[in-house]
């Protein structure tokens, strides 16, 4: 049998061990407060289902508060929801 190793590109660090700053006493706390997959804003169809289906139906807009996603509003369709999600990344630069 061959040597077992984590799959992935050799030029990227492993994500198996979280990085922690030894000088920061709150490093572990701050890591837990990050949103899943670093997604600060997301949208969901009002009536459930896949997000890419029925693009003309309204969407629920959700924003990460540091502990959970909370409803931030609604959008009339998929295009408006995507614009709201991308606004954080390309807006005034105040994003995290």
């Amino acid at each position: 049998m061959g040597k077992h190793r984590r799959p992935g590109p050799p030029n990227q660090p492993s994500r198996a061990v979280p990085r922690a700053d030894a000088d920061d006493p709150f490093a572990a706390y701050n890591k837990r407060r990050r949103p899943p997959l670093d997604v600060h804003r997301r949208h969901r169809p009002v009536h459930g289902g896949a997000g890419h289906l029925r693009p003309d139906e309204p969407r629920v807009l959700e924003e990460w508060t540091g502990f959970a996603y909370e409803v931030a509003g609604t959008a009339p369709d998929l295009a408006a929801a995507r614009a709201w999600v991308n606004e954080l990344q390309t807006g005034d630069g105040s994003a995290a």
Side-chain angles (χ1 to χ4, degrees):
M1 295 194 113
K3 182 178 177 182
H4 295 272
R5 68 179 196 86
R6 182 174 173 81
N11 63 344
Q12 293 181 359
S14 173
R15 291 172 288 188
V17 179
R19 293 183 180 169
D21 185 9
D23 298 329
D24 184 10
F26 296 110
Y29 173 76
N30 291 334
K31 174 108 173 100
R32 286 193 307 267
R33 294 207 48 195
R34 287 179 36 211
L37 300 175
D38 288 332
V39 176
H40 294 275
R41 287 182 168 183
R42 69 182 186 184
H43 60 86
R44 301 281 183 237
V46 172
H47 302 293
H52 64 285
L53 299 177
R54 301 181 309 273
D56 297 331
E57 290 188 3
R59 310 283 177 188
V60 175
L61 306 174
E62 298 174 335
E63 196 162 20
W64 181 255
T65 63
F67 297 101
Y69 285 103
E70 290 186 1
V71 175
T74 59
D77 57 8
L78 179 60
R82 285 185 177 167
W84 179 80
V85 168
N86 294 332
E87 178 182 290
L88 183 68
Q89 298 167 355
T90 60
D92 58 5
S94 63

